[in-house]
Amino acid sequence: MRRHGRTPRGVLRALAVLTAVLVTMVTWPQTAGAHGSVINPASRNYGCWERWGNDHLNPRMQQEDPMCWQAFQDNPNAMWNWNGLYRDNVGGNHQAAVPDGQLCSGGLTEGGRYRSLDTPGPWKMTNVSTNFTVHLYDQARHGADYFLVYVTRQGYDATTQPLRWSDLELVKTTGRYAPAENITFDVSAPGRSGRHVVFTIWQASHMDQAYYICSDVNFV
């Protein structure tokens, strides 16, 4: 005889698991709402979040977007927190704070959360000309003391070589920007063709907080 008024233990367990999964799925995107990053040309982790954030369990990612797949496998919070890749109290001494091979993770900042971004490989690229525009989305409206924009030298191979300071050429130094949600400025990187990395340092104005941002581009 079937009993009424009592939920089977198996159903309760299933509901508990489902609730935990749903809470996790809701919480992750919310953690990515506090700061900012370069969204065009897309930073590595912003690009992964934009393409796969709503479909990150899709097995097609492994074949279609292998660098995002390895990043999601390593730590999905690096994508959900695409705008939290920063270091505090660097004092402008960026090369001392961020060692060679760790530029895209900000020197393994946030306990190494972003370490997968340092992995060489065929990251998805944004097509740009040698004169292009950088677009920073600054949701928290921190403003900027300055931006430093570097581009890799011709001959650097981002698919096989970890990024080093010596691979970069400084092509843009800006002045201050008032707090705004969207900041854009033009950059010129003559003499480039094909795959490159744009490395942007954003020195926020609200405190000594520096953001380190790798964007993969294809100069066409």
Side-chain angles (χ1 to χ4, degrees):
M1 180 179 296
R2 184 176 178 180
R3 297 181 180 179
H4 298 278
R6 180 178 297 179
T7 304
R9 291 181 180 176
V11 174
L12 290 174
R13 292 194 195 97
L15 287 172
V17 171
L18 179 60
T19 299
V21 170
L22 290 174
V23 167
T24 300
M25 292 177 67
V26 170
T27 299
W28 283 355
Q30 288 177 338
T31 62
H35 302 287
S37 187
V38 172
I39 63 172
N40 190 32
S43 66
R44 287 181 172 178
N45 49 341
Y46 175 78
C48 290
W49 174 82
E50 185 180 39
R51 290 190 296 274
W52 299 101
N54 293 326
D55 197 23
H56 65 282
L57 299 179
N58 191 327
R60 292 193 351 259
M61 190 195 323
Q62 185 171 5
Q63 298 300 320
E64 296 177 8
D65 203 344
M67 300 314 295
C68 285
W69 180 83
Q70 63 86 29
F72 268 105
Q73 295 299 305
D74 184 64
N75 191 337
N77 281 311
M79 274 61 67
W80 300 126
N81 292 277
W82 53 265
N83 51 13
L85 203 169
Y86 62 84
R87 298 186 72 92
D88 290 332
N89 304 315
V90 171
N93 198 356
H94 304 293
Q95 292 195 34
V98 182
D100 283 344
Q102 298 177 9
L103 276 67
C104 297
S105 68
L108 298 179
T109 191
E110 297 295 314
R113 173 191 291 166
Y114 300 97
R115 63 186 178 184
S116 62
L117 305 183
D118 291 321
T119 305
W123 291 91
K124 295 287 187 181
M125 298 179 290
T126 301
N127 288 334
V128 298
S129 68
T130 54
N131 296 300
F132 62 97
T133 299
V134 171
H135 178 188
L136 176 90
Y137 179 61
D138 179 7
Q139 185 174 8
R141 298 175 182 262
H142 291 323
D145 286 348
Y146 58 81
F147 291 92
L148 303 176
V149 182
Y150 300 79
V151 179
T152 48
R153 304 177 191 279
Q154 194 68 21
Y156 169 74
D157 185 359
T159 66
T160 61
Q161 298 172 295
L163 187 61
R164 304 169 302 175
W165 288 101
S166 61
D167 297 318
L168 297 169
E169 179 186 359
L170 179 64
V171 297
K172 181 78 172 187
T173 302
T174 77
R176 294 177 61 87
Y177 284 85
E181 193 167 82
N182 292 283
I183 296 174
T184 61
F185 53 88
D186 295 330
V187 175
S188 179
R192 268 85 171 176
S193 62
R195 177 185 288 276
H196 281 270
V197 176
V198 176
F199 181 62
T200 304
I201 299 175
W202 164 32
Q203 183 67 47
S205 293
H206 70 300
M207 61 179 293
D208 185 0
Q209 190 171 84
Y211 292 73
Y212 301 98
I213 304 162
C214 282
S215 304
D216 294 272
V217 300
N218 179 38
F219 284 105
V220 295

